[in-house]
Amino acid sequence: MDARQLEYFLAIVEHGGFSRAAAALHVAQPSLSQAMANLEADLGVALFHRVGRGVVLSGAGAELLEPSRRVLRDLTAVRDTAAALAGLHGGTVEIATMPSPGIEPLTTLIHRFGELHPTVTVSTQAAFTPDEVVSLVRSGACELGLLGSASPVDPPGLNVLHMEEQPFVVVAAPGGVFEDDVPIRPEDLAGQKLIASRTGSLMRNIVDGVTAGGADTQIVTVVDHRTSILPLVLTGVGVAVLPSSWTSLARRCGALVAPIEPTAHLHVAMVSLPAHLTPAARAFLAVTRSLAVGGLGARQPVPQGDAQRPV
């Protein structure tokens, strides 16, 4: 067994088949097939079931996923550690992130990390629930996970760095009943047209709780992609209840942001495995920890002259 065989194995899984993996790896498919046949012979188990012209991961193959990712990551860590003797140079840190924390604090974290380690690439993978983030970290697909939840999380077997609590705000187009930075009560949303995520999602559950006291609140648009929310707000389709992480971006685009009092909070945390982190991941976690301790509220404010200017 060698690292190349494990790399081929993971590529077949991630690309959904031998031909796509061969193309992505820039190797001939017969060479890839032979490497997998040799690996299966060495291990004494079948890693894939051949179904027609495709393949399906076997039970043994599924069990090999996490150890394979860990072995390749550890080999990368050896190379990175050698390079780190003269400072952190190159490499990639992989982070699973949910949509709202993916705006903030991720933007601030990447900005600060990039200043300290400009040659390291930050790669993010989308996740839409805390469980998805935890699963991606546990499986080794990502080293770090940034999540937001209705209450603090404590997943077994993972380290948790609690970062901040984001209150919810109303984001609206100019010219309506709300004023920028003027607090409102949940009942003030009565009669408003609301843009919300799908029923059952964390965001929708929190929105339903915030608006529970308001009569006649009408959900006019249900969206799966959070990136659709702000454009819909700006075109006057309705208002949205979002975590305060959206505040700076919303104002830069010309929207108004009104705090809700009282409101629920999104609990933002970074999760990681207690071991097997590459130097790049450890460095990113150190930046995260320093910002969490120092207070993420000290982000650069939006210049007043740009507050209502679309970008």
Side-chain angles (χ1 to χ4, degrees):
M1 184 190 303
D2 60 37
R4 178 179 56 85
Q5 290 173 318
L6 296 180
E7 181 184 0
Y8 286 2
F9 166 65
L10 291 177
I12 295 167
V13 175
E14 292 166 0
H15 292 282
F18 279 71
S19 59
R20 292 179 180 176
L25 293 167
H26 304 291
V27 300
Q29 185 169 333
S31 299
L32 183 66
S33 297
Q34 185 60 51
M36 283 302 94
N38 293 340
L39 179 58
E40 289 177 322
D42 289 342
L43 295 174
V45 295
L47 300 177
F48 300 97
H49 297 306
R50 275 66 178 178
V51 180
R53 300 182 66 181
V55 294
V56 177
L57 193 64
S58 70
E63 291 294 327
L64 189 63
L65 275 177
E66 181 177 350
S68 296
R69 287 168 174 156
R70 187 165 293 172
V71 167
L72 291 181
R73 184 163 284 133
D74 285 348
L75 289 173
T76 300
V78 170
R79 299 186 188 98
D80 290 348
T81 299
L85 294 174
L88 187 61
H89 300 292
T92 300
V93 54
E94 298 163 328
I95 306 171
T97 180
M98 291 172 62
S100 290
I103 294 177
E104 282 291 352
L106 185 62
T107 299
T108 296
L109 290 172
I110 292 178
H111 179 256
R112 301 286 178 87
F113 181 77
E115 290 179 330
L116 296 172
H117 308 289
T119 62
V120 179
T121 300
V122 179
S123 175
T124 64
Q125 183 168 337
F128 297 95
T129 67
D131 286 344
E132 286 183 26
V133 173
V134 169
S135 178
L136 286 168
V137 173
R138 279 205 178 117
S139 70
C142 294
E143 295 189 85
L144 306 175
L146 185 62
L147 59 81
S149 56
S151 58
V153 298
D154 188 20
L158 294 183
N159 289 339
V160 181
L161 174 60
H162 297 283
M163 300 183 63
E164 63 177 355
E165 297 179 12
Q166 297 178 359
F168 283 80
V169 297
V170 169
V171 179
V177 299
F178 301 118
E179 297 181 50
D180 189 67
D181 209 30
V182 176
I184 67 167
R185 299 164 298 176
E187 52 266 33
D188 293 332
L189 290 168
Q192 293 294 316
K193 295 179 178 180
L194 199 65
I195 301 164
S197 56
R198 195 166 299 280
T199 299
S201 66
L202 170 65
M203 187 68 66
R204 178 62 175 273
N205 292 340
I206 294 175
V207 167
D208 288 344
V210 169
T211 61
D216 300 326
T217 301
Q218 179 187 3
I219 294 179
V220 294
T221 305
V222 177
V223 297
D224 281 334
H225 297 289
R226 305 291 164 77
T227 51
S228 302
I229 293 179
L230 192 53
L232 288 169
V233 168
L234 291 169
T235 55
V237 171
V239 303
V241 177
L242 295 168
S244 58
S245 58
W246 290 77
T247 297
S248 178
L249 176 62
R251 285 181 172 151
R252 284 183 180 274
C253 292
L256 306 178
V257 180
I260 305 172
E261 297 178 356
T263 185
H265 290 76
L266 189 70
H267 296 262
V268 179
M270 182 75 81
V271 296
S272 61
L273 289 169
H276 300 288
L277 292 182
T278 61
R282 290 198 299 269
F284 196 94
L285 196 57
V287 171
T288 304
R289 187 176 293 109
S290 68
L291 288 174
V293 171
L296 284 157
R299 301 183 179 108
Q300 293 184 351
V302 179
Q304 291 300 313
D306 292 339
Q308 304 297 328
R309 184 182 303 165
V311 295

